[in-house]
Amino acid sequence: MRAALKALPVAERQALAVLLVSSLCMVWLQYPANRFWMLAALSRWLPDAAEWFRAAVIHNPHTELYRSAYWALASIAGYVLLPLVHIRLKSEKLSDYGLAWPDRATLRADLKLFPLFYALMLPLVWWASAQPGFLAIYPFFRVSPGEALWPHWLLWEMLYFAQFAALEFFFRGYMVHGLKPRLGWLAVFVMIIPYCMIHFEKPALESLAAIVAGAALGLLSYRYKSIWLGAALHCSVALTMDLMALWRKGLL
């Protein structure tokens, strides 16, 4: 097996490693990032830790913040840790995976494209914020009637934004730029498959929109070698959706 792997071209070994690491990341996002799975695992092996986790995270009567923060932090770990280890082992630069600060040309392009993409999304977000299926999900952080937005909801939004930056790094950075030496621009469409799948627990329209958005942001990252436009758009659209959902529910 080792000899067969060494016989592969460098680009193929790179693609194989990226696909394997990405698969492990998706397993993490499906299981340990789920607080109920984690509670079951702790209950089996560490009952004292499970009791603390149940009281502090699962059944905390005071706030949604701990439950939401657990999901955000576990997701960030799932998106970032293994890819960073892989990149480090190869002695490569993070800038090769879309994390470079945009140069002047890229920044000009981002500043032109951001309002265009946001303007295209705004009517869809407005419509979605009135649909029962979306209102049942957003915002992830459940604001109770009469609860002030500060500090819990705003702290949650900061974690939410960090989660989107990690998501963009994984999909539009690590996967796209890790696979492109072997697949070229088709790396974007390989990335779209798991990106679409993480939306399966949401309304079908959002899963379909993820295909279009994933392709657009992936091709932009491929072209400009930067994930920051995607991160800015993701955070802006998510914040807009949350604010509109809160307004529709009479909580804003």
Side-chain angles (χ1 to χ4, degrees):
M1 176 65 74
R2 182 177 297 179
L5 289 174
K6 287 185 177 180
L8 291 174
V10 173
E12 291 192 11
R13 292 203 303 270
Q14 160 85 353
L16 176 61
V18 169
L19 290 171
L20 288 173
V21 169
S22 299
S23 298
L24 291 173
C25 290
M26 296 306 294
V27 171
W28 174 282
L29 292 166
Q30 181 64 28
Y31 297 103
N34 182 306
R35 62 181 183 269
F36 296 108
W37 184 94
M38 180 59 70
L39 177 61
L42 289 174
S43 296
R44 181 175 181 181
W45 301 107
L46 298 168
D48 290 340
E51 189 59 36
W52 173 86
F53 189 82
R54 182 182 291 105
V57 176
I58 304 295
H59 299 303
N60 189 316
H62 303 296
T63 178
E64 280 278 322
L65 182 62
Y66 298 147
R67 288 185 283 274
S68 302
Y70 176 80
W71 171 81
L73 293 172
S75 297
I76 291 168
Y79 286 131
V80 169
L81 290 182
L82 286 179
L84 287 181
V85 170
H86 181 210
I87 293 168
R88 180 66 176 172
L89 289 175
K90 294 192 303 173
S91 300
E92 291 188 318
K93 299 177 181 177
L94 290 176
S95 58
D96 295 331
Y97 290 83
L99 289 179
W101 186 254
D103 58 27
R104 186 171 298 178
T106 301
L107 188 58
R108 281 200 300 266
D110 286 354
L111 291 175
K112 291 179 180 178
L113 289 170
F114 177 86
L116 174 62
F117 276 85
Y118 184 75
L120 289 172
M121 290 299 300
L122 195 55
L124 295 175
V125 174
W126 173 260
W127 174 84
S129 70
Q131 306 309 306
F134 286 89
L135 285 175
I137 295 174
Y138 296 104
F140 287 167
F141 179 87
R142 307 296 182 189
V143 179
S144 301
E147 181 180 1
L149 297 185
W150 173 260
H152 293 155
W153 184 79
L154 289 175
L155 289 173
W156 152 248
E157 288 295 324
M158 294 177 192
L159 286 170
Y160 202 25
F161 291 173
Q163 181 268 155
F164 281 127
L167 178 152
E168 289 294 330
F169 164 71
F170 177 70
F171 288 108
R172 259 68 77 177
Y174 178 70
M175 288 197 73
V176 168
H177 296 287
L179 293 173
K180 74 178 181 182
R182 178 63 181 86
L183 300 180
W185 61 272
L186 288 175
V188 172
F189 294 89
V190 172
M191 171 273 294
I192 286 174
I193 298 171
Y195 181 63
C196 174
M197 292 174 70
I198 67 170
H199 294 80
F200 281 176
E201 294 182 356
K202 299 179 180 180
L205 181 62
E206 188 165 350
S207 295
L208 292 172
I211 299 173
V212 178
L217 296 177
L219 290 169
L220 286 170
S221 178
Y222 183 89
R223 168 66 177 83
Y224 292 107
K225 301 179 181 179
S226 173
I227 68 166
W228 297 117
L229 174 61
L233 282 167
H234 233 136
C235 291
S236 300
V237 170
L239 178 60
T240 303
M241 182 67 194
D242 280 359
L243 290 172
M244 286 185 178
L246 288 172
W247 177 71
R248 299 276 191 190
K249 294 176 180 181
L251 297 172
L252 189 63

